[in-house]
Amino acid sequence: MSLRKKVIISACLLGRACRYDGKSKPALHVSEYYKSYDIIPFCPEEPVLGTPRERISVVKMADDALHVITDSSNRDITKHLKFEILSFLKEHNDVKEAVLKSKSPSCGFKSTPILNIKKEQIAIGNGIAAQIFSDRGLHVKSELEVD
Ligand code: SF4
């Protein structure tokens, strides 16, 4: 069993081409900073929607709850994403730290646009995974906070 500390990192920051547009968003300073850790890549959208995929947004619905809705086909995929994120956490319940891609509807931490049902931005908040991770007590930060 490894005694190294563990960190969850958004897979696109590690160079995996799993973004909605089929590209990655490598952040070499993050991999460098955590080189002594066991790095666990994380991407909840790819298994649910595939890559490339339609863009999605966090939308505050009439019931005041935040849902994840696909931009053009208007499908509510909140349940599917939550299932994916919770299954991942169940498998990695010993990890206490996560570095997640800023502004993403899944991974963004304190940086994700929150829209109303007319798809107008009304706030900045957390993506669905960042929210769940944070609620579960993980120390979450974005790639912009890693120096
Ligand atoms: S931001 Fe998160 S959900 Fe989006 S591609 Fe990167 S890892 Fe996947």
Side-chain angles (χ1 to χ4, degrees):
M1 195 179 79
S2 170
L3 294 176
R4 282 152 58 102
K5 285 201 266 184
K6 296 180 181 180
V7 62
I8 294 164
I9 299 181
S10 292
C12 59
L13 295 176
L14 297 169
R16 191 194 291 174
C18 55
R19 278 166 57 89
Y20 72 94
D21 56 3
K23 296 183 178 160
S24 66
K25 203 77 179 171
L28 298 180
H29 70 290
V30 175
S31 326
E32 177 61 24
Y33 185 89
Y34 287 98
K35 64 184 177 199
S36 65
Y37 285 57
D38 282 341
I39 293 176
I40 301 154
F42 168 68
C43 179
E45 292 180 22
E46 186 167 55
V48 173
L49 295 166
T51 303
R53 55 185 169 274
E54 186 180 349
R55 291 190 82 152
I56 59 177
S57 299
V58 179
V59 180
K60 191 169 193 179
M61 303 298 271
D63 61 359
D64 249 15
L66 296 177
H67 292 245
V68 184
I69 310 290
T70 56
D71 281 7
S72 40
S73 60
N74 242 11
R75 281 177 300 146
D76 187 336
I77 57 159
T78 315
K79 235 180 10 189
H80 305 286
L81 271 177
K82 269 190 183 165
F83 179 80
E84 186 61 39
I85 294 159
L86 293 173
S87 307
F88 176 89
L89 276 184
K90 205 169 167 189
E91 228 180 282
H92 301 287
N93 59 8
D94 56 337
V95 187
K96 304 281 177 248
E97 211 174 328
V99 180
L100 301 180
K101 170 74 185 70
S102 58
K103 298 183 185 168
S104 150
S106 297
C107 292
F109 184 58
K110 297 182 184 169
S111 58
T112 298
I114 310 295
L115 311 184
N116 63 16
I117 44 176
K118 291 186 201 154
K119 304 278 176 85
E120 300 158 333
Q121 186 176 328
I122 52 168
I124 293 284
N126 294 334
I128 182 170
Q131 186 63 51
I132 292 173
F133 281 20
S134 177
D135 290 345
R136 294 286 176 103
L138 272 84
H139 178 223
V140 179
K141 57 182 160 183
S142 84
E143 80 282 11
L144 305 174
E145 297 169 272
V146 177
D147 23 65

